Amino acid sequence: MSYRKRRFWLSLSDAGIISLAVWLACLVRFDFSFTEISEYQPMYLMMGHVLFVVTGMHFAQLYRPVYRYVSVRELVSIISATSISILALYLVLKMTYLLGWSIRFPTSLFLMTLAFVLLGITGSRFVWKWWYEEREKRTQDRRRTLIIGAGSAGVLVAREMKTSPLSELRPVAFIDDESSKQNLRVYGLPVVGNRADIARVVQRLSISDIVIAMPSASRQTIKEIFDICKTTRASVKILPHVADIISGKITMNMIRDVALEDLLGREPVQLNLEEITGYLRQQVVLVTGAGGSIGSELCRQIARFGPRKLLLLGNEENGIFEMSLELSRLCPEQETVSLIADIRDRKRIASIMHEYRPAVVFHAAAHKHVPLMENNPCEALKNNILGTKNVAECALETSVSHFILISTDKAVNPTSVMGATKRIAELLIQGYNHFGLTRFAAVRFGNVLGSRGSVVPVFLNQIRAGGPITITHPDMERFFMTIPEAAQLVIQAGALAQGGEIFILDMGKPVKIVDMALDLIRLAGLEPGKDIPVVFTGIRSGEKLYEEILTAEEGLSSTCHNRIFIGKPLDFSWNELLAGIARLEQIADKGATLEDKQSIIEILQGIVPGYHSTSYVKEESTPVPYQVAIG
């Protein structure tokens, strides 16, 4: 309907309401005495009220709002415009009476008329709103939704669900832990209990969806609530953290599915911006492995601190190209240089270092996939040991200020070739710190969610394919953190580095892989064992049941940041380390054969006493997988 037609019909409707209001006011004022009413010429009063009020509503543009979305603001405007219009009519008639016209009226009649007009017009808006919402309920198959959190965010979510034509959710009730809200109604919806009642309420009210509307709650609280919600068959969604809601207005597209990151129970990282800005701003910063998961996130985070030039170095051209495009979009003022290079190529790395003279190097390039490196140990030592050696020595030659190695918890008491080579990389960093002016440090942490080769993308692909999800062992545990969290703490650790440290990030509590798999199935709205089977296939070569973040000898000391710790450096022979690496390099130069694999492992065990290989046991061939159904 066009605005002109809409205005005409609304004006006609209001004229009828005003006329009826005048008659009711006259009947009440004069005790239903029609003889007495006729003396006050009610037809003139009706015409005057209609003319003044409808004109006032028009000039106040109160026929423009869509009254299915009527709010307090529109009602206040209606009350103001109506009151002013009737007051203006009262003054006009008062003046005409004083001038000798025959129209008489008592003041009480106008007050009654005002009350009836306000009641009629505002009521008509609410009737329209109620009628539209009821029609929507009947015409749309909206899913019954339970909102957790009856605060301001919960009310905004309920309002958006009720009014948004795009919403497929219909709010039914609230859950809130505050005892003062129990058994009350918030935005027309009952508060039916606290978090302990979620399962019971979902069953009793036939809830199909749950929305967690607690943007200021801690991550641990969100995890605890989700642990309760996942015992139900309802689909669970969440409102983002308060830091992610910038506009101050909640819309339906802000309500998203719960992600695995929400369930780690870890609070956002707090950075010391002054420290970080001090060693990154207006500096040339080099990131190796910049096309990988950690390397690319380091680039995104570093760009926030205004380096003079950001060097993106990697051997995988597509990753470097995509990262360069992303940074040009996110930070168009940031100068970046894309460098395709292999860290194993000493001459190429030296050329880059001498040309660009970086002040800070983040060395993230590495081979990290445990089973692949078990089958290709020569490539692991080339990349993780010899490549690190090349970059570190070139950094020394060009007097780099800070050199930060990205390490892994698999370097602690390693059982894999990958872990052993990363442990040797840590030893190299500690050794090189005694030469030159460069501050060498390593940052050790566990798995990151969503990285390439991570178990999470594998599980997600298996769920999309209809299962089964394959897990090596029911007791397998790993430490997890998000990629942005890891990158931010690495950058913060670089600011703390004095040289020679192995920084260890607080990884929280280890997570059982089977629990993570079951959560991912539930987050997809499916039931483990019924919709998606889960089977155990046996531990793969090089894997451990439990990861560790430090050796028993290292100990742990704190830093000024509550999420970053320092492992005590261990004594080792620098000459013996270099001699062992030289032997590995000889094997790599000639091209490792099948027989050389055992030699590589023996040399690694000589350099890293805590390394216990699981690759070459008697049943090395193909272990017989065993399958155990879950559910």
Side-chain angles (χ1 to χ4, degrees):
M1 184 185 295
S2 67
Y3 170 64
R4 287 187 177 181
K5 287 184 178 180
R6 185 172 178 275
R7 183 177 60 182
F8 171 78
W9 288 110
L10 281 174
S11 300
L12 191 62
S13 171
D14 286 345
I17 292 171
I18 294 165
S19 300
L20 181 60
V22 172
W23 268 107
L24 285 174
C26 289
L27 288 171
V28 173
R29 172 63 182 78
F30 299 111
D31 297 325
F32 295 87
S33 173
F34 289 94
T35 303
E36 195 171 355
I37 290 173
S38 62
E39 295 180 6
Y40 291 90
Q41 305 179 41
M43 290 300 298
Y44 288 105
L45 287 175
M46 286 168 51
M47 291 172 58
H49 278 87
V50 168
L51 177 63
F52 273 71
V53 174
V54 171
T55 302
M57 296 273 285
H58 171 73
F59 279 107
Q61 297 189 345
L62 293 176
Y63 293 126
R64 290 187 180 274
V66 179
Y67 286 111
R68 75 182 69 166
Y69 306 128
V70 67
S71 66
V72 174
R73 179 179 297 178
E74 280 77 27
L75 294 182
V76 170
S77 299
I78 289 172
I79 292 171
S80 300
T82 302
S83 301
I84 292 172
S85 300
I86 292 179
L87 176 62
L89 175 62
Y90 175 83
L91 294 175
V92 169
L93 293 180
K94 197 73 172 175
M95 290 176 61
T96 59
Y97 181 72
L98 294 175
L99 292 173
W101 286 28
S102 60
I103 300 177
R104 297 173 52 244
F105 56 88
T107 301
S108 59
L109 179 59
F110 272 82
L111 294 177
M112 289 183 181
T113 302
L114 174 60
F116 284 126
V117 169
L118 290 177
L119 184 63
I121 292 179
T122 56
S124 68
R125 271 41 172 187
F126 271 114
V127 167
W128 169 251
K129 178 182 174 68
W130 171 83
W131 177 82
Y132 184 84
E133 289 179 352
E134 288 300 312
R135 191 185 69 170
E136 287 290 292
K137 290 178 185 179
R138 292 191 299 268
T139 58
Q140 290 190 10
D141 185 21
R142 291 188 171 188
R143 299 196 298 273
R144 295 172 64 83
T145 304
L146 178 67
I147 302 175
I148 300 180
S152 56
V155 170
L156 290 174
V157 168
R159 178 182 300 167
E160 186 68 16
M161 286 182 187
K162 286 185 174 183
T163 58
S164 173
L166 301 177
S167 175
E168 297 179 350
L169 307 178
R170 177 161 66 91
V172 172
F174 283 107
I175 285 286
D176 199 285
D177 284 340
E178 283 191 35
S179 58
S180 60
K181 294 180 180 178
Q182 300 304 312
N183 301 315
L184 299 181
R185 298 185 75 86
V186 177
Y187 198 65
L189 303 175
V191 180
V192 293
N194 56 34
R195 71 175 72 175
D197 301 312
I198 290 175
R200 176 181 58 81
V201 170
V202 167
Q203 185 175 8
R204 180 168 63 86
L205 299 181
S206 301
I207 298 297
S208 61
D209 291 81
I210 298 173
V211 174
I212 302 174
M214 303 170 64
S216 59
S218 67
R219 301 294 170 88
Q220 183 62 34
T221 299
I222 296 299
K223 181 181 184 301
E224 291 170 359
I225 290 175
F226 179 79
D227 287 340
I228 298 172
C229 293
K230 71 184 183 183
T231 63
T232 72
R233 295 294 301 274
S235 173
V236 185
K237 301 181 183 299
I238 191 172
L239 197 66
H241 195 268
V242 69
D244 301 326
I245 303 176
I246 299 174
S247 65
K249 182 181 183 298
I250 293 173
T251 58
M252 289 307 298
N253 59 7
M254 287 183 180
I255 301 172
R256 58 170 174 81
D257 292 332
V258 177
L260 199 56
E261 295 92 318
D262 299 313
L263 308 183
L264 289 182
R266 301 171 63 81
E267 297 304 317
V269 175
Q270 301 297 323
L271 299 179
N272 187 323
L273 299 181
E274 186 175 346
E275 286 181 344
I276 293 174
T277 301
Y279 87 108
L280 292 182
R281 184 173 295 280
Q282 291 303 308
Q283 301 294 331
V284 178
V285 180
L286 168 66
V287 179
T288 71
S293 304
I294 292 294
S296 60
E297 185 61 28
L298 280 171
C299 293
R300 295 184 193 98
Q301 300 288 344
I302 291 167
R304 296 166 48 197
F305 300 103
R308 178 160 58 88
K309 190 176 295 184
L310 182 54
L311 311 179
L312 317 179
L313 187 148
N315 195 30
E316 203 266 300
E317 58 177 338
N318 289 330
I320 297 297
F321 176 71
E322 290 170 4
M323 191 66 249
S324 176
L325 283 182
E326 182 178 341
L327 288 177
S328 66
R329 184 181 73 254
L330 297 176
C331 308
E333 72 287 349
Q334 176 63 59
E335 182 181 358
T336 61
V337 180
S338 299
L339 302 167
I340 304 302
D342 190 333
I343 59 173
R344 298 175 295 185
D345 186 343
R346 173 64 181 268
K347 291 182 180 179
R348 171 65 171 150
I349 296 301
S351 173
I352 290 172
M353 291 285 198
H354 283 85
E355 179 179 356
Y356 293 101
R357 296 282 174 173
V360 182
V361 174
F362 291 94
H363 182 44
H367 285 326
K368 308 179 184 73
H369 199 282
V370 170
L372 283 180
M373 293 306 101
E374 291 302 295
N375 296 327
N376 302 273
C378 187
E379 295 306 306
L381 71 89
K382 284 180 184 178
N383 211 61
N384 296 354
I385 299 176
L386 302 181
T388 298
K389 185 170 180 287
N390 286 340
V391 179
E393 288 178 351
C394 292
L396 271 175
E397 292 172 4
T398 53
S399 300
V400 167
S401 173
H402 290 71
F403 185 104
I404 309 299
L405 168 73
I406 309 302
S407 189
T408 170
D409 57 359
K410 294 173 178 59
V412 180
N413 297 323
T415 59
S416 64
V417 169
M418 191 280 279
T421 55
K422 292 297 286 184
R423 177 58 182 154
I424 292 174
E426 290 182 351
L427 296 176
L428 279 171
I429 293 308
Q430 289 183 302
Y432 283 128
N433 190 65
H434 297 292
F435 306 97
L437 301 176
T438 302
R439 299 180 183 182
F440 286 91
V443 183
R444 183 191 295 167
F445 53 92
N447 299 308
V448 288
L449 293 176
S451 66
R452 295 180 183 178
S454 165
V455 69
V456 175
V458 174
F459 285 166
L460 292 175
N461 288 332
Q462 290 175 337
I463 291 171
R464 293 188 193 102
I469 276 186
T470 56
I471 304 172
T472 55
H473 195 280
D475 296 327
M476 184 77 70
E477 289 185 349
R478 291 292 182 267
F479 292 101
F480 283 96
M481 67 195 322
T482 66
I483 295 176
E485 179 184 15
Q488 290 169 12
L489 288 174
V490 166
I491 295 171
Q492 180 69 72
L496 301 176
Q498 297 300 312
E501 301 96 340
I502 296 181
F503 291 104
I504 298 167
L505 303 187
D506 173 18
M507 298 294 298
K509 297 179 180 179
V511 177
K512 272 198 170 186
I513 300 298
V514 66
D515 291 341
M516 175 177 288
L518 298 181
D519 282 344
L520 284 172
I521 294 172
R522 293 187 183 101
L523 289 175
L526 303 171
E527 185 176 349
K530 182 178 179 181
D531 300 315
I532 302 290
V534 179
V535 299
F536 299 114
T537 58
I539 297 177
R540 297 176 298 180
S541 179
E543 286 187 326
K544 293 194 291 185
L545 276 180
Y546 311 98
E547 296 290 4
E548 305 160 273
I549 58 172
L550 74 164
T551 65
E553 296 81 11
E554 282 178 318
L556 205 62
S557 58
S558 61
T559 68
C560 60
H561 196 286
N562 63 350
R563 303 280 285 275
I564 303 174
F565 300 89
I566 299 176
K568 179 184 177 182
L570 302 179
D571 294 330
F572 64 94
S573 170
W574 177 247
N575 291 331
E576 290 180 7
L577 174 64
L578 293 183
I581 292 175
R583 292 174 59 198
L584 291 172
E585 192 168 6
Q586 289 176 353
I587 296 176
D589 286 341
K590 71 176 185 179
T593 64
L594 186 63
E595 291 76 18
D596 290 328
K597 289 185 178 181
Q598 185 62 38
S599 299
I600 291 173
I601 289 178
E602 290 174 356
I603 296 172
L604 291 176
Q605 288 174 330
I607 300 174
V608 184
Y611 172 38
H612 303 287
S613 174
T614 61
S615 292
Y616 294 92
V617 293
K618 287 185 179 179
E619 288 103 5
E620 175 190 13
S621 50
T622 307
V624 178
Y626 59 97
Q627 299 186 352
V628 180
I630 291 293

